[in-house]
Amino acid sequence: MSRLMRRGTVPPVPVPVRELTVGSADGARVHVEVHGPDGAPAVVLAHGWTCSTRFWDAQIRDLAADHRVIAYDQRGHGRSPAVGPEGYGTDALADDLEAVLAATLGADERAVIAGHSMGGMTVMAAARRAGLRAHAAAVLLCSTGSSRLIAESRVVPLRPGAVRDRMTHAILGARAPLGPVNALSRRVLRYGTMGPGSAPDRVDTCARIVHACPTRARVAWGHVLADLDLDAGVRELRVPTAVIAGTEDRLTPPVHARALAAALPDCLGLTMLAGMGHMTPVEAPEAVTAKIRELVTAYLPAGAAGVSGAGSANGASGAAGQGSSDGMAEKEDVA
């Protein structure tokens, strides 16, 4: 179980029981944290653009009591070092996820994989990879999209068109440092990435995480996101997959979540979180954690840790995911 320390932090920061550095296909080093008891059902968490493993603290605190939670810093973020200009791209995201799965899971072990924003795109990028198909029992895509990020973004309050697209592109690739976290920067971040009713402490949490992202990585990944096209990966993600999004998301508006739900081969449904923005794991941690637990219960039954579980997972898919062929993916569960 995670050792909760640093008494001065409220809520406490989860301290991993193990940390490791994983080498990716191109030699990049990826920082990984493991929380929770050995032998427990495994959950893998992939964070989004400008974030870090700290983005998942609420989920780790809850899940590590009875799950083995594996969280890692995307290259250039958190404690994963920056790479050269050629090291940023969707193939690199897929390489890193495969490396993390290989290093932390047994050869036949499956896990529930949750990806937020660019973390969800990581899963889509890896959809055809043998490593993902061997280890993913189920997937949760949080506040993400597969293409047309600039065209659909509502961060710039203008009508759709060339001017809004240019301004959004400029924001994604902006090289100016974000500066200190203060009242103004929190207000700006809340407008762009969170729902209007987000609690001030959660806004502050997101601001401190985002502002800690190195400018070089933020800019490099911003250019990747500007030209993103992972629609083919969505169609190849042949794993039971749930989608969750906020109704007030400006970065990846609900149109993306609905498109994912319609295109996924085995969609378990779309949950819309009323009043929430883009940072759903921090804005609505209970809802996101509950969805992860739901997937673990359905696709990693007790005693399945460390075992292939293919039969169990396929059987659960028939029960929990049977609606995907009769319109379930088109229905919305608004929470």
Side-chain angles (χ1 to χ4, degrees):
M1 181 181 300
S2 284
R3 294 167 284 129
L4 301 182
M5 301 175 63
R6 304 180 196 176
R7 293 175 182 241
T9 304
V10 180
V13 173
V15 178
V17 296
R18 185 163 63 102
E19 297 178 272
L20 62 154
T21 300
V22 173
S24 192
D26 63 353
R29 292 174 292 146
V30 179
H31 173 74
V32 183
E33 298 181 358
V34 181
H35 302 256
D38 289 339
V43 173
V44 178
L45 304 175
H47 69 76
W49 181 50
T50 73
C51 295
S52 69
T53 55
R54 296 284 65 79
F55 189 78
W56 296 106
D57 278 357
Q59 285 69 43
I60 293 170
R61 281 192 292 268
D62 185 303
L63 293 170
D66 51 357
H67 296 71
R68 185 159 54 91
V69 185
I70 299 154
Y72 70 99
D73 286 323
Q74 302 272 19
R75 57 175 61 196
H77 294 75
R79 294 169 64 184
S80 292
V83 295
E86 71 287 346
Y88 295 96
T90 54
D91 283 341
L93 292 175
D95 288 341
D96 294 352
L97 177 56
E98 275 200 303
V100 170
L101 295 176
T104 58
L105 300 176
D108 296 322
E109 186 177 6
R110 290 179 180 261
V112 168
I113 302 175
H116 169 260
S117 190
M118 194 173 80
M121 299 163 195
T122 300
V123 178
M124 299 175 214
R128 297 187 183 94
R129 300 293 186 92
L132 183 100
R133 292 185 174 183
H135 290 295
V139 165
L140 176 61
L141 299 178
C142 298
S143 308
T144 190
S146 59
S147 64
R148 294 179 52 81
L149 298 188
I150 285 181
E152 300 293 355
S153 171
R154 299 196 314 233
V155 171
V156 177
L158 296 176
R159 296 178 62 180
V163 173
R164 191 179 78 171
D165 288 357
R166 284 196 297 271
M167 294 180 69
T168 303
H169 196 287
I171 291 172
L172 285 177
R175 295 181 178 276
L178 296 182
V181 175
N182 54 33
L184 176 60
S185 64
R186 282 191 291 265
R187 191 176 303 120
V188 170
L189 181 127
R190 176 189 230 161
Y191 168 79
T193 69
M194 304 181 78
S198 296
D201 62 320
R202 293 176 179 176
V203 175
D204 185 70
T205 294
C206 283
R208 294 187 183 281
I209 292 171
V210 170
H211 281 242
C213 179
T215 300
R216 177 180 172 185
R218 172 169 55 82
V219 172
W221 283 117
H223 287 305
V224 172
L225 298 180
D227 298 320
L228 190 78
D229 185 354
L230 292 172
D231 291 347
V234 178
R235 295 189 292 270
E236 291 295 324
L237 188 54
R238 304 185 183 280
V239 178
T241 302
V243 182
I244 195 166
T247 61
E248 306 305 312
D249 188 343
R250 288 187 172 93
L251 278 177
T252 53
V255 62
H256 290 292
R258 296 186 181 109
L260 291 173
L264 285 163
D266 191 358
C267 183
L268 302 174
L270 166 59
T271 299
M272 297 300 301
L273 301 177
M276 297 296 105
H278 184 68
M279 303 300 213
T280 45
V282 174
E283 292 180 86
E286 299 85 0
V288 172
T289 303
K291 185 61 67 173
I292 293 172
R293 283 187 172 276
E294 179 183 314
L295 293 174
V296 169
T297 299
Y299 297 96
L300 289 176
V307 180
S308 171
S312 298
N314 291 338
S317 178
Q322 62 184 359
S324 60
S325 62
D326 62 8
M328 178 185 247
E330 299 177 4
K331 299 178 182 178
E332 294 183 16
D333 176 15
V334 180

